[in-house]
Amino acid sequence: MRILICEDSALLREGLVRVLEDSGHTVVAALPDATRLEDEVEATDPELCILDVRLPPTWTDEGIRAALRLRAARPALPLLVLSQYVEERYATDLIAAQGGSLGYLLKDRVADVSDFLDAIMRIGAGATVLDPEVVAQLLSRRTRDDRMLRLTDRESTVLALIAEGRSNQAIARTLHVSEGSVEKHITAVFQKLDLEQDESGNRRVLAALAHLSHGGTHPEPRPGGTPPQTGAQR
């Protein structure tokens, strides 16, 4: 895969280049800031972009703003954003943006090379891959949205695993249930969240997380519905 990196830390940037090239990928550019990002994307035509959230000159949100610009200019371009900490607002901005596959990982995950490379491949193949800590924070806001109170504990757990980019087969293995049971839980989750059925797993994940992170409407609980659940299920 042709990959562009935008990371201000020289040590991490060079480390990413080495790891990716050793695994057979081609790093078409490795930039220390977003100044020439759009020009380099145009010149090198990467299949995936990796960006740090915080970049020079202010080390605040340059990386996210650059990612959002790329999302607007090239909606189908897969993006992987790396962050030192869970920054919920930045994650929700990206999740809410319309576009192709997306990854949001904490930099600690890069230390596990096999997991990091697996995430790269999944994002490149069209999946949404979110760090479990990001998912946990987004799901912890569910008490602000009455729709989330409709979910059972098991359905909340399935939703968290979906948001992490897990396949139905992987969810079934994690929960020690059949894939048929997982499919039933997923159907129930999206029905209870009033989300339209969609054949694209990536699109469903983005829609679900957008609802979770932004709150949306607050309908009254349905009569005879599931009693409120408390706490985020991982």
Side-chain angles (χ1 to χ4, degrees):
M1 194 183 331
R2 295 167 51 80
I3 299 175
L4 182 148
I5 299 169
C6 189
E7 164 62 52
D8 68 287
S9 167
L11 185 61
L12 180 55
R13 187 171 65 248
E14 293 306 314
L16 288 172
V17 171
R18 176 65 63 86
V19 166
L20 291 169
E21 291 189 339
D22 284 352
S23 64
H25 298 290
T26 299
V27 176
V28 295
L31 310 176
D33 57 56
T35 305
R36 305 189 335 269
L37 178 62
E38 284 91 341
D39 290 341
E40 288 293 334
V41 168
E42 184 67 27
T44 61
D45 194 26
E47 297 170 283
L48 171 72
C49 282
I50 301 175
L51 303 97
D52 190 356
V53 165
R54 298 178 182 271
L55 291 168
T58 68
W59 285 276
T60 54
D61 63 351
E62 281 89 350
I64 285 293
R65 288 191 282 112
L68 291 172
R69 290 196 304 270
L70 285 180
R71 186 58 99 205
R74 294 187 171 220
L77 177 62
L79 301 176
L80 169 57
V81 174
L82 301 178
S83 179
Q84 190 68 44
Y85 311 103
V86 177
E87 303 189 67
E88 186 178 321
R89 179 171 64 86
Y90 295 154
T92 56
D93 285 347
L94 273 177
I95 290 165
Q98 297 296 315
S101 55
L102 171 70
Y104 190 108
L105 297 177
L106 297 185
K107 289 185 177 180
D108 286 348
R109 308 291 173 188
V110 180
D112 189 324
V113 174
S114 61
D115 282 355
F116 174 69
L117 292 174
D118 178 66
I120 290 289
M121 294 303 296
R122 286 193 286 153
I123 296 165
T128 295
V129 179
L130 301 179
D131 195 284
E133 291 301 320
V134 175
V135 174
Q137 287 208 16
L138 294 180
L139 289 178
S140 70
R141 300 178 61 180
R142 70 196 184 107
T143 55
R144 305 176 197 177
D145 187 340
D146 288 339
R147 287 170 302 177
M148 297 305 298
L149 302 180
R150 304 171 185 174
L151 302 185
T152 66
D153 287 342
R154 177 48 63 91
E155 288 163 355
S156 295
T157 301
V158 169
L159 178 56
L161 294 170
I162 291 172
E164 289 176 19
R166 307 286 186 92
S167 66
N168 287 8
Q169 184 178 38
I171 294 172
R173 288 198 303 268
T174 299
L175 300 180
H176 305 291
V177 298
S178 69
E179 288 188 54
S181 294
V182 170
E183 290 171 2
K184 289 179 181 178
H185 287 312
I186 291 173
T187 298
V189 165
F190 286 100
Q191 286 177 343
K192 291 180 179 181
L193 293 182
D194 300 326
L195 298 172
E196 295 181 1
Q197 294 294 323
D198 194 306
E199 294 302 319
S200 169
N202 180 54
R203 196 173 285 181
R204 289 195 304 169
V205 171
L206 293 174
L209 288 177
H211 278 277
L212 291 172
S213 59
H214 289 286
T217 58
H218 298 268
E220 293 297 324
R222 292 173 179 169
T226 303
Q229 309 292 324
T230 57
Q233 300 297 316
R234 295 286 305 280

